[in-house]
Amino acid sequence: MYGHQAIRNMSPAYPQFFRAAEGALITDVDGNEYVDLMCSWGPIVLGHRDPVVTQAVREQMEKGDCLDGPGPVLVDLAEALVDAIDDADWILFGKNGTDATTACLTIARAHTSRAVVLVARGVYHGAAPWCSPVPAGTLPSDRAAMGYFEYNDQADFDRAVEAAGSDLAGVMLTPFRHVEGEDQELVDVEFARHVRRRCDELDALLILDDVRCGFRFAHGGSWEPIGVSSDLSAWSKAIANGYPLAAVTGRESLRDAASAVFLTGSFWMNSTPMAAALATIRRLDAIDGVSLMQRAGARLRAGVLTQAADSGLTIAYTGPDVMPYMTFAGDVHHERMTRFAEAALASGVYLHPKHNWFMSCAMDDAVIDRALRATEQAFAAVRRHFGPR
Ligand SMILES: Cc1ncc(COP(=O)(O)O)c(C=O)c1O
């Protein structure tokens, strides 16, 4: 097993194979059912097997999926996304988030004829050698043109800009700081404005990596609510409710660079995931999915914070309600959080001890209350095991 499912990364209590899912629930191969607070690590935004998306997929499958070129659905989807996302004048599609972030990097370099791209230290942008969090098999030269700064730290950002000198192609940022195993940090709006200003002064591009947050944080670009625009954006996860699709969106001025670079993949033009994405985006809009997820997330947050206080345990519950992250005070090696996650699992909630959780539109009050009954057991288990703190 590899990635998140690698044995070294997961408690043995965790199932690795699942046989079914419906709405907010997931069932492992042994028949255990869980409230799914991971949403397949982000993609499931409407709920598992959303009937509208499933119907759109069936209809597209009847027509064809992997053809010699894209179906008309590519145009319909591109128009829907360009309508929904303020900073998008054009769009191109790939499969995974790493395709999209890597394409953004390449397009930025092609457009500016410069090399250096700045990213925040520790923030995940994918599994390619230029951004992999694990150095095994990568070369220092893979990162030779990367620069690093602390998220939300203007002075450190300016230092990295200074170091890049006249070779700065762009800055890639996630909408907020999410680093595995660390408390999350919302973006400081002044910091975001500062980055935008500096990019404008230096003719460098601001790239928003919206792979994790996109269409969960806001319906459209995740920085639209704070009024900070991007030049390029990377998307994946939630845009197709679990079907494999990624996208890059960009400004008109970058259309030529996007056309000039070589971007392709054997399955990049498949129509079924595009049909799923079109149905997903329309449905999210129709039901105001972002508000539904915010409501579910606020209920979960309130419930978890009350349970922690009632148990006499100190926790941090950070990040936006739709993508929360929980830690116990002083739990440097995640032992308490691992115990919490194992007990939650045994009580019927699938969540991760070191990764943010995700809300979906299928999480109504009854689902959240069901999840909270499990987290109550999990707090009791931590208290029993480690005592009050
Ligand atoms: C912010 C961000 N960027 C990029 C990626 C890479 O996406 P993928 O795993 O689909 O390649 C992820 C995946 O979690 C992500 O969270």
Side-chain angles (χ1 to χ4, degrees), residues 137-205:
T138 67
L139 305 173
S141 57
D142 294 324
R143 294 158 197 269
M146 302 302 299
Y148 302 91
F149 60 89
E150 285 304 318
Y151 197 102
N152 273 345
D153 184 334
Q154 284 194 29
D156 198 43
F157 173 74
D158 286 341
R159 179 207 48 76
V161 167
E162 212 52 37
S166 58
D167 209 15
L168 183 65
V171 181
M172 187 180 291
L173 274 166
T174 50
F176 68 93
R177 183 177 185 274
H178 45 70
V179 175
E180 188 157 334
E182 295 180 20
D183 288 341
Q184 301 189 123
E185 202 179 318
L186 293 176
V187 70
D188 172 353
V189 179
E190 272 318 307
F191 174 75
R193 288 191 186 129
H194 180 73
V195 173
R196 177 70 273 175
R197 229 178 2 253
R198 294 304 318 265
C199 285
D200 288 342
E201 284 164 13
L202 299 165
D203 283 330
L205 303 182

Side-chain angles (χ1 to χ4, degrees), residues 299-317:
R299 191 175 182 89
L300 184 68
R301 176 192 287 261
V304 166
L305 290 176
T306 303
Q307 289 173 350
D310 290 351
S311 319
L313 296 166
T314 308
I315 64 163
Y317 195 92

